[in-house]
Amino acid sequence: MSKAITARSQDYSQWYNDLVLKAELADYSAVRGCMVIKPYGFALWENMRDALDKMFKDTGHVNAYFPLFVPKSLFEAEEKNAEGFAKECAIVTHYRLKADPTQKGKLIVDPEAKLEEELVVRPTSEAIIWNTYKNWIQSYRDLPILVNQWANVVRWEMRTRLFLRTAEFLWQEGHTAHATKEEALVETKKMLDVYADFVENWMAVPVIKGVKTANERFAGAEDTYCIEALMQDGKALQAGTSHFLGQNFAKAFDVKFSDKENKLDYVWATSWGVSTRLIGALVMAHSDDEGLILPPKIAPLQVVIVPIYKGEEQKAAIDAKVNEIVVQLKKAGIRVKYDDSDQARPGWKFAEYEMKGVPLRLALGARDLEQGVVELARRDTREKKSMPLEGITEVILAQLDAIQKNLFDRARQYRDEHITPANNWEEFVNLLDTKGGFIAAHWDGTPETEEAIKEKTKATIRCIPLDTAPEQGVCVLTGKPSTQRVLFARAY
RNA sequence: CGGGAGGUAGUUCAGCCCGGUAGAAUACCUGGUUUGGGACCAGGGGGUCGCAGGUUCGAAUCCUGUCCUCCCGACCA
């Protein structure tokens, strides 16, 4: 492993790529646009997944699993949804290979094994799920259906980046069915809140809750709610979406139910998802030029202990003490590793665990042992101090909390400092080019103006924030009247 | 999908223009000395030069095709 990664100030994109590879979160693969998630990266994803899964269960949802393949006829049923995804679908057309008669040891697609109907590899699962829900729903007594699935999806992206945009990715997709519009709307917002709660309180990444404009809306949705995060380079990243689907899919798949008065009506729907892209957000929100910085609540390892010794005798004494500490820490629920390997020297280990973003490091040497202390090093502030071994578990628990809080506060301060109002076009363009971040500006509400701004500046409307007060103003581009500021940014 | 750059030891890269026994650093293995911020000495192993064709007496090097990656553009629920 080489000794450094590209500095953020030098090349932010390269820094990100270097970091993902060197921290061993992921690797490239032999398949274009598809990555290998390595064990350390997957451990991180597992922690995120487990926390989210519990939140879903706590809000009444259950898990299920639907097929990877969607028959084309089902896929095209909801027209807007199908159109929206058509350009990035992988399609299965054959079901068999055979030996190539012209080249020994090679295989060809068997032309006689062509499928009657092509199968679309799911870019999202609304179609196959609503086709299924049709069979599950007859009356209001069958509602609501609150199902989530953890799955992979495929979107044939032209330009990919590790975690941020890959051809195949892992995610969860919730698909719910309701008797009333109101209930579906409540569900949509409830799950948006769950996402915001998770991303802020577990990942320590502050988000803005908002609604997407028509241009940015999920294909097939009535409304798309989102959480938007800000990265250290001033670009925005959509961290999660929750869609109010109205009756669009119920109509497309003919899913009706009898209400209490025995009247037939179409079912109301929502869907919501977050993906492994969140890992990209996590990396770009907190990390520095030394490597990854992980929030304790989802870090695969929260504490690493490194011994410093001369000779076997010292090592044995340190081992004995550290083993006691490890038992205590594990009892307190802390994910801890004692790296007593003799393969690397302490300095090497320090750098390695910094690259991997382990929140707290303890270093224990013979001198410390004599004095009954241990060196505590925080990854987030890179601050080191000597603490008494007595009562160290409590100190560590408090430090982990402090790190979690500091990461969030730090990211929120950066985010808050990078929401800037712009009142005219010159200001708007200038802010985008010099400062970046979110720009709060008036917009006349038309897709045409949004499109024009995008063409001129590459900035899009990230969302119409949910919690801002109405304010009279004029559109930053057209000068037409506007009633609310929206957030623009260049985005991932 | 268009334009540009790249792929040679586990890793980072030199060699390619001008064809002639495949190199460096680092990592790895063995032994020893070491260990409070990426240790040092000595010895050693490791590469069908992305893959497939072609030109040539001879190809990492020239030609063609193809795959993967990066950058720019188009696209991106």
Side-chain angles (χ1 to χ4, degrees), chain A residues 150-161:
Chain A
W150 290 95
N152 58 339
V153 287
V154 169
R155 296 178 186 179
W156 212 263
E157 300 290 349
M158 289 298 136
R159 195 170 167 185
T160 58
R161 301 204 54 195

Side-chain angles (χ1 to χ4, degrees), chain A residues 230-234 410-418:
Chain A
L230 190 62
M231 304 297 101
Q232 292 181 51
D233 62 347
R410 203 154 85 172
R412 185 175 52 190
Q413 189 185 345
Y414 175 85
R415 198 272 315 271
D416 289 347
E417 284 167 0
H418 287 81

Side-chain angles (χ1 to χ4, degrees), chain A residues 66 74 127-139 142 145 253-256 267:
Chain A
F66 295 85
L74 287 186
I128 189 73
I129 287 180
W130 279 88
N131 174 258
T132 307
Y133 281 0
K134 180 179 165 60
N135 303 323
W136 291 3
I137 298 167
Q138 272 103 50
S139 89
D142 299 320
I145 292 177
F253 290 91
D254 193 33
V255 186
K256 293 181 195 158
V267 171

